[in-house]
Amino acid sequence: MIDLTIMHKELLALVQDTGRLKAVEQIRGLGIYPDSDFDTLIDMIRKQTEADTAFIAVVEDEKVLYQACSSVDTPLTEITDWIAVSCLIERSQWQPAFSLTAQDGIESPYTGLVWGIPIMVAGHAIGSLCLMDRSGRTASWAAGNDDLLPRTAQLVASLFELKQSARARTMEEFDLSRANVRYALALKAGRVATWSWDQDEQVIECDARMRQLLGLQEVGTVTSKRLFRQLDRDDLARLHAELKDMYGSDEDVTVEFRVQSTGCYVLALGHVFERDEQGNPRKIIGVAIDLTESKRSEEKTRLLLREVNHRVKNMLAILQSLASQTLRHAQSPERFTRAFSGRLAALATSHSLLSDQEWEDIDLVSLIQTQVKPFASHYAEQVTIEGRPIAINADAAIALGLVVHELATNAMQHGALSRRDGHVAISFDIDTPPSGQPTLTILWRETGGPRLNEERRRGFGSILIEHSLNKIIGSDVNISYEKSGVTAKISMPV
């Protein structure tokens, strides 16, 4: 470290000069690195002048950095630091600069002679070139070579500038290479294709992703005509018009088209990169992305919206029927509220299943399980379901969910599920007659419940199950009250 407190004002102002420190920072870069060019130069200077020590130093605001040093017996210490700093001030001729003594604040003074000259870069003294000698040989040699040190300092300054320029160029190339890698990774992650269009040759350079989108993986040179043959005929007129707008404008143009051979929807963004003297485009560069999945998603969304509208209308009809039937047969407002709330919950359960499947067909077993489980205190022991996997559509699922809900509600209140040892067996299968529509048959059989009597039969929701839902889904529901328990047989076309 440099002790600034014992430095005279002129030298202190020079060391702390903002312009000088900025020049030092530009030359020094990320640090002082070993360099054979500087080492060879300083070693040659020391031997030619017969000095004990020669060094090239870069002076920061509070520290001295040594780029190169050649010495017989003098180590780099605070003495050489002070020599390097003191030689920042340019002298009229090459003469012994000074001899350091104890009065200079140095614990181990140097009694030999010192020659030094600042190294000037961009008009600032970034450091110094110094010689140290006790023998007197350098003084006698210097008498006839007073221009050697200034010329050598200029050479050192040029070498610093050359190294800094090369380092800056290397860093620019490295940054550019790193940026290219980042952009390539971003394009790959985003599945973005790249292309360029030579208007003079009418040749389009495509990367592998772009060739895949266009269905031209096996084609050699991609010409404009070859490209346009790949596109949907309905898009060509619009595409040519949009390209014409791009030719006469500096604005980027976005075009969308469909590829006939692959069925892909492509969104391309183009920019005129180079124009001729008349302003006509010569080079166009751009990127493209695959919109196929997005287009399919949009179409699916439109279908779902139409489906939702259809379901809402059906649901309003079902709710109107449920409210009317429930109110007609309810014996009190409390029973109406309880019964109607349960049926709304059944509809909500079926809707949740259909929503999870985006209103596609749903699994019959899942529908039955979600409707029955809330009414069986020991579901695993009281309920069995048998049948091969069958998927049913949304209309059938909503109506069938209500039927199963009514059967489960009645079973819990009056039937097999009202007792710990009661049991409900549910089975189903599809019958396919030689001629006619396949029919799904579901059999609900209760055992182990209380004995039924005629008065309770009208409370089982049988009117809703047997009559109201028949009109909605066109199914056939038959309920029988056997000694062993309720048996319901549901048939519906699939």
Side-chain angles (χ1 to χ4, degrees), residues 408-435:
T409 301
N410 293 337
M412 181 192 70
Q413 294 176 349
H414 311 290
L417 297 182
S418 65
R419 291 186 176 181
R420 177 67 178 80
D421 55 352
H423 186 268
V424 176
I426 307 168
S427 60
F428 52 84
D429 199 0
I430 293 181
D431 298 326
T432 306
S435 61

Side-chain angles (χ1 to χ4, degrees), residues 28 117 130 147 155 184 210 261 283 341 378 383 404 410 468 477:
R28 188 179 67 83
I117 191 167
C130 301
D147 64 338
L155 179 60
M210 190 67 185
S261 59
K283 302 285 185 182
S341 297
H378 299 78
V383 180
V404 175
N410 293 337
S468 299
V477 181

Side-chain angles (χ1 to χ4, degrees), residues 20 269 281 364 467:
R20 191 195 76 84
L269 175 65
L364 178 57
H467 299 290

Side-chain angles (χ1 to χ4, degrees), residues 123-414:
H124 297 282
I126 67 162
S128 56
L129 170 62
C130 301
L131 302 178
M132 301 170 62
D133 180 53
R134 289 190 181 94
S135 66
R137 292 190 299 270
T138 303
S140 60
W141 189 92
N145 298 275
D146 59 352
D147 64 338
L148 176 63
L149 206 62
R151 289 191 291 110
T152 306
Q154 291 176 1
L155 179 60
V156 172
S158 298
L159 193 57
F160 265 123
E161 291 176 326
L162 181 64
K163 298 286 184 179
Q164 190 272 340
S165 177
R167 183 171 61 242
R169 187 166 55 252
T170 301
M171 290 303 298
E172 288 176 358
E173 292 174 353
F174 175 74
D175 290 342
L176 179 61
S177 175
R178 186 168 55 181
N180 287 336
V181 171
R182 288 200 304 268
Y183 295 150
L185 289 175
L187 291 175
K188 185 177 181 180
R191 298 175 63 82
V192 178
T194 60
W195 54 273
S196 62
W197 189 354
D198 187 323
Q199 292 291 295
D200 295 335
E201 301 293 333
Q202 286 299 306
V203 171
I204 301 174
E205 294 182 5
C206 307
D207 63 5
R209 176 65 179 159
M210 190 67 185
R211 285 178 174 271
Q212 182 181 5
L213 291 177
L214 297 175
L216 297 175
Q217 296 95 321
E218 306 301 326
V219 176
T221 301
V222 179
T223 63
S224 303
K225 290 182 178 180
R226 186 70 181 85
L227 169 66
F228 290 137
R229 286 203 302 266
Q230 293 294 104
L231 307 186
D232 191 285
R233 295 291 177 266
D234 295 336
D235 295 336
L236 285 179
R238 174 181 51 81
L239 183 60
H240 283 300
E242 291 172 342
L243 289 175
K244 187 176 180 180
D245 291 340
M246 180 174 65
Y247 294 161
S249 171
D250 292 330
E251 298 292 330
D252 297 341
V253 171
T254 302
V255 295
E256 183 179 320
F257 54 85
R258 184 171 181 268
V259 182
Q260 290 189 101
S261 59
T262 63
C264 291
Y265 288 90
V266 178
L267 178 67
L269 175 65
H271 173 77
V272 177
F273 181 72
E274 181 182 341
R275 295 180 183 272
D276 60 19
E277 296 178 354
Q278 289 73 38
N280 299 316
R282 297 189 61 189
K283 302 285 185 182
I284 301 174
I285 60 175
V287 296
I289 58 175
D290 187 357
L291 290 181
T292 307
E293 290 300 322
S294 176
K295 289 290 186 179
R296 290 173 180 169
S297 179
E298 290 177 6
E299 180 61 26
K300 192 171 186 178
T301 300
R302 285 193 291 269
L303 290 173
L304 284 175
L305 288 175
R306 288 199 293 268
E307 184 74 11
V308 168
N309 289 334
H310 170 69
R311 300 300 165 200
V312 168
K313 293 178 181 178
N314 283 355
M315 186 57 60
L316 289 174
I318 293 173
L319 290 175
Q320 185 178 11
S321 176
L322 282 178
S324 175
Q325 293 288 345
T326 305
L327 182 62
R328 186 179 304 157
H329 296 90
Q331 298 177 358
S332 66
E334 291 78 11
R335 289 190 177 184
F336 166 78
T337 301
R338 186 166 57 250
F340 190 62
S341 297
R343 287 158 186 162
L344 288 180
L347 287 174
T349 299
S350 299
H351 265 256
S352 295
L353 287 174
L354 289 167
S355 178
D356 291 342
Q357 296 297 320
E358 297 185 350
W359 290 89
E360 299 288 347
D361 295 351
I362 62 172
D363 178 53
L364 178 57
V365 172
S366 298
L367 176 66
I368 295 174
Q369 286 177 339
T370 54
Q371 294 291 358
V372 176
K373 271 187 177 181
F375 302 98
S377 57
H378 299 78
Y379 177 83
E381 300 174 13
Q382 292 181 294
V383 180
T384 58
I385 302 176
E386 294 181 357
R388 59 189 177 91
I390 294 175
I392 60 175
N393 62 35
D395 288 330
I398 292 175
L400 185 58
L402 280 173
V403 173
V404 175
H405 166 79
E406 291 298 325
L407 291 170
T409 301
N410 293 337
M412 181 192 70
Q413 294 176 349
H414 311 290

Side-chain angles (χ1 to χ4, degrees), residues 20 23-24 27 57-60 88 119-121 124-128 160:
R20 191 195 76 84
V24 169
I27 288 298
V58 176
V59 180
E60 295 185 322
L88 290 176
I119 300 170
M120 304 299 292
V121 173
H124 297 282
I126 67 162
S128 56
F160 265 123

Side-chain angles (χ1 to χ4, degrees), residues 26-37:
Q26 290 177 344
I27 288 298
R28 188 179 67 83
L30 299 176
I32 295 297
Y33 301 99
D35 192 302
S36 60
D37 293 333

